[in-house]
Amino acid sequence: MTKTPLAVLTAALLLTGCGVTTGGPDDGTAGASTTPKRGGTLILGENGQEPTCLDPHGNASSDGPVSTVPVSDSLVWFDADGTIQPWLAESWKVSGDGLTYTFKLRQGVRFHDGAAWNAEALKSNFEHMRDPATKSPLAASYIAPYKDGEVVDEYTLKVKLNSPYRPFLDILAQGYLGMISPKQIKESPESICTHPIGSGPFIFDQWTKGQSITYHRNPDYNWGPKSAKHTGPAYLEKLEIRFLAEDATRYNALASGEVHAIDFTPPQNVEDVKANPDLGFLSAIRPGHPMAFWLNTSRPPFDDVKVRRALLAAVDRESIIKGISFGQYQVAQGFVTSSTPGYAEGLSGTIKHDEAQANKLLDEAGWTARDKDGIRLKDGKRLTAYFPIAANFPAQRMQIAVQTQAAARRIGLDIQLQTPPEQELSDRSVKGDYDLSSGLWATNTADVLWIQYSSKNITTDKRRGQNVARLSDAGLDDLLEKARSAEDPTELYNQAQARLLELVPAIPFYDDPRPVAYHKKVRDLSFTPAYPSPYFYDTWLEE
């Protein structure tokens, strides 16, 4: 087993409110049975971030793992105490130079189509992740150091990396890198997006886009992670994930009993949930990159660091986040969330709201004149930035965007919100034809900084990268590359975070929480610690 420094993450994963327990007066289940029961269908109300593809290697949606983990197991399990536990890999050895990982695989595992889990299956999955045809927006970035795999024997695969990669085992625990049937990868790779075949505790039934995904129990399942509360098949007979995009609709479905649980509990309803004796609540701050508005540093106006710093200083993030989250969200202090291993606590409080400083920075950048509307001018050009967003842009982010737009206008920067057609939005994203873009990136390692800000991850004609800020800074690149192979990367990540606060490639807004509310007849609902999302293997219904 491998130990990683995750004291912060462990604390963040502690269940809040009533929590998920099996009895006792604190959660209102005193007198209820603590003996798990088999059967029943659990219905989870999800938000509107429905994946466009159910291939775990082909999506990066926040709802990706909750949709694919029921079907696909991972190579290893990332426990809440920071240990890497065996799962589909029984054991592993890492060479002294960090370039070779030798995995001994669990025997007796079968995929839902009958295909065997073995060294060839693992190799097929690695190759599928990096295959350009998979169009992987996430898994391919995670395994970028992967060179090739050598089948030693039926249940042993020797994986070779191009460069040492300390977070390799950590990321292999994430649902985005779950294992898919090698038979499906070979014979029908195009079907994985709509009908994934894995080895997990639930078998995929149907995806009615815009409505729901349904699954049924895998009766042969007997290879859950070691930290699971039981062995053998899942307790639930069926599982349904129902997409309820509107916050009010999702909460009302929980309140009426239409669904058993809801993911992403609306912040305005959290206190009501906690006060309701019939409901339970659990939450975790997702490790990784906070929700942010990225600034395109490759073209005007945000190619000038003074303009970027000015916008950051102009935005009253504390006020905005307190308002849109009803006081439930934690304002981001930098470019990784506070639950991320490697978070630089000493930098907390560095970002300050200072409108006078923002105006001073723009003056220094040469934007001294103003037109009749108060927008700054330089060489006859208006200080304008374009922010293209999707038609289904989340309501909370829209509120943040509108308030950011207003703050920018007060210092003479015109941010224009645009809603182009979906295909045009996608094309512009690839070409870098935008000035602002929004998002977050949840992962269980500070290597998220390499994914988001290494110049190697700027999108090209050959590869779609995740450096949407298109930041290129040699000093930062050097720190992030060294951190990937360092035995203890703490100081390197501290320096990288400090450098990012100087470069300002984004406006970080809040550490993203994963708040789940549920009826207390739902028992043993939990999160997967590698990427906090609901996990149903141990879950059962008190009915």
Side-chain angles (χ1 to χ4, degrees):
M1 295 180 291
T2 303
K3 183 78 173 179
T4 50
L6 292 183
V8 175
L9 177 58
T10 303
L13 286 172
L14 291 177
L15 307 184
T16 59
C18 296
V20 183
T21 62
T22 55
D26 289 342
D27 73 348
T29 58
S33 171
T34 57
T35 302
K37 298 178 180 179
R38 294 192 178 276
T41 300
L42 184 143
I43 303 173
L44 174 75
E46 260 300 344
N47 66 6
Q49 296 181 46
E50 181 177 5
T52 57
C53 173
L54 298 184
D55 180 349
H57 311 154
N59 78 66
S61 165
S62 294
D63 291 350
V66 74
S67 304
T68 62
V69 167
V71 172
S72 61
D73 296 324
S74 294
L75 189 63
V76 294
W77 175 265
F78 186 97
D79 214 8
D81 68 357
T83 56
I84 304 294
Q85 301 277 1
W87 195 356
L88 293 186
E90 206 167 60
S91 64
W92 52 88
K93 291 182 180 179
V94 185
S95 63
D97 60 7
L99 294 174
T100 304
Y101 287 68
T102 303
F103 293 99
K104 292 284 187 180
L105 305 182
R106 191 168 186 163
Q107 299 184 30
V109 176
R110 290 277 171 181
F111 291 92
H112 302 151
D113 59 2
W117 165 248
N118 53 29
E120 287 286 0
L122 177 55
K123 183 177 180 180
S124 293
N125 273 268
F126 280 132
E127 296 298 335
H128 177 65
M129 290 175 201
R130 70 174 183 178
D131 184 347
T134 304
K135 298 179 180 179
S136 173
L138 191 154
S141 293
Y142 278 154
I143 68 156
Y146 173 80
K147 182 179 180 181
D148 58 44
E150 175 190 341
V151 175
V152 177
D153 58 42
E154 186 174 5
Y155 294 103
T156 307
L157 185 72
K158 184 179 291 186
V159 173
K160 298 176 183 178
L161 306 182
N162 286 308
S163 58
Y165 183 33
R166 190 196 60 81
F168 191 48
L169 291 173
D170 301 66
I171 59 94
L172 287 173
Q174 292 192 31
Y176 292 112
L177 288 85
M179 298 294 116
I180 291 296
S181 165
K183 181 180 179 182
Q184 187 178 29
I185 291 173
K186 180 180 179 180
E187 298 179 1
S188 184
E190 72 285 349
S191 70
I192 303 175
C193 266
T194 55
H195 194 126
I197 298 172
S199 63
F202 294 92
I203 298 172
F204 176 88
D205 282 331
Q206 185 176 358
W207 179 18
T208 304
K209 293 186 178 182
Q211 298 181 35
S212 65
I213 305 173
T214 55
Y215 316 77
H216 69 274
R217 180 170 55 208
N218 177 2
D220 300 321
Y221 193 76
N222 194 30
W223 43 83
K226 280 191 174 183
S227 61
K229 291 187 175 184
H230 81 290
T231 58
Y235 293 121
L236 297 170
E237 182 180 348
K238 294 183 179 181
L239 172 66
E240 178 182 342
I241 295 174
R242 190 174 295 176
F243 296 102
L244 305 170
E246 297 295 327
D247 283 353
T249 301
R250 196 162 63 259
Y251 178 69
N252 290 336
L254 176 73
S256 68
E258 179 185 338
V259 300
H260 296 92
I262 58 171
D263 202 359
F264 295 101
T265 305
Q268 62 267 33
N269 301 122
V270 167
E271 294 306 319
D272 290 338
V273 168
K274 291 181 178 180
N276 189 327
D278 296 322
L279 298 177
F281 181 73
L282 64 92
S283 183
I285 291 176
R286 293 197 284 178
H289 195 287
M291 203 298 290
F293 288 171
W294 285 293
L295 310 177
N296 188 343
T297 65
S298 69
R299 72 179 199 177
F302 295 127
D303 58 342
D304 187 334
V305 69
K306 289 186 176 181
V307 177
R308 302 198 299 271
R309 290 174 180 170
L311 179 57
L312 178 60
V315 178
D316 187 351
R317 301 174 312 124
E318 291 274 355
S319 176
I320 292 173
I321 299 310
K322 182 178 180 180
I324 65 102
S325 74
F326 297 82
Q328 295 295 325
Y329 293 177
Q330 180 176 305
V331 176
Q333 298 300 310
F335 295 90
V336 294
T337 67
S338 58
S339 63
T340 309
Y343 169 69
E345 293 187 32
L347 296 175
S348 179
T350 301
I351 302 173
K352 291 180 171 53
H353 172 229
D354 188 337
E355 193 168 305
Q357 176 66 10
N359 278 304
K360 182 174 181 290
L361 285 164
L362 290 181
D363 287 342
E364 292 175 358
W367 296 93
T368 51
R370 294 193 184 233
D371 66 11
K372 61 181 179 61
D373 299 318
I375 302 303
R376 289 175 180 264
L377 300 168
K378 183 168 70 171
D379 300 329
K381 294 183 179 179
R382 285 167 54 99
L383 182 54
T384 303
Y386 298 97
F387 192 172
I389 59 176
N392 61 347
F393 198 58
Q396 282 183 342
R397 291 191 195 178
M398 179 59 83
Q399 293 177 52
I400 296 172
V402 169
Q403 292 185 61
T404 298
Q405 183 185 46
R409 194 168 189 87
R410 285 194 294 273
I411 62 168
L413 167 59
D414 180 21
I415 295 177
Q416 296 189 13
L417 299 174
Q418 303 171 312
T419 53
E422 183 177 349
Q423 187 58 52
E424 180 185 333
L425 183 65
S426 177
D427 292 343
R428 288 177 64 177
S429 176
V430 171
K431 295 175 183 176
D433 184 15
Y434 56 85
D435 296 312
L436 294 95
S437 113
S438 82
L440 57 92
W441 193 279
T443 185
N444 54 346
T445 165
D447 191 53
V448 67
L449 297 178
W450 182 88
I451 293 169
Q452 293 286 181
Y453 297 117
S454 168
S455 61
K456 290 182 178 180
N457 287 323
I458 297 173
T459 294
T460 66
D461 293 339
K462 295 182 178 180
R463 180 171 174 268
R464 183 160 187 171
Q466 297 302 326
N467 183 350
V468 292
R470 295 181 174 254
L471 182 68
S472 182
D473 181 79
L476 181 67
D477 282 347
D478 183 59
L479 290 169
L480 297 178
E481 287 295 337
K482 288 178 178 176
R484 302 194 100 199
S485 58
E487 184 66 27
D488 182 359
T490 304
E491 181 54 31
L492 291 165
Y493 282 134
N494 284 346
Q495 293 178 41
Q497 289 168 73
R499 179 61 178 153
L500 284 165
L501 287 169
E502 296 172 351
L503 294 171
V504 191
I507 310 298
F509 282 101
Y510 61 83
D511 290 357
D512 192 49
R514 191 76 181 247
V516 174
Y518 58 93
H519 286 278
K520 286 186 176 172
K521 62 183 177 182
V522 178
R523 310 297 296 277
D524 290 334
L525 181 63
S526 63
F527 283 138
T528 52
Y531 177 94
S533 65
Y535 185 58
F536 306 103
Y537 174 51
D538 284 323
T539 306
W540 54 283
L541 296 176
E542 178 74 51
E543 288 183 324

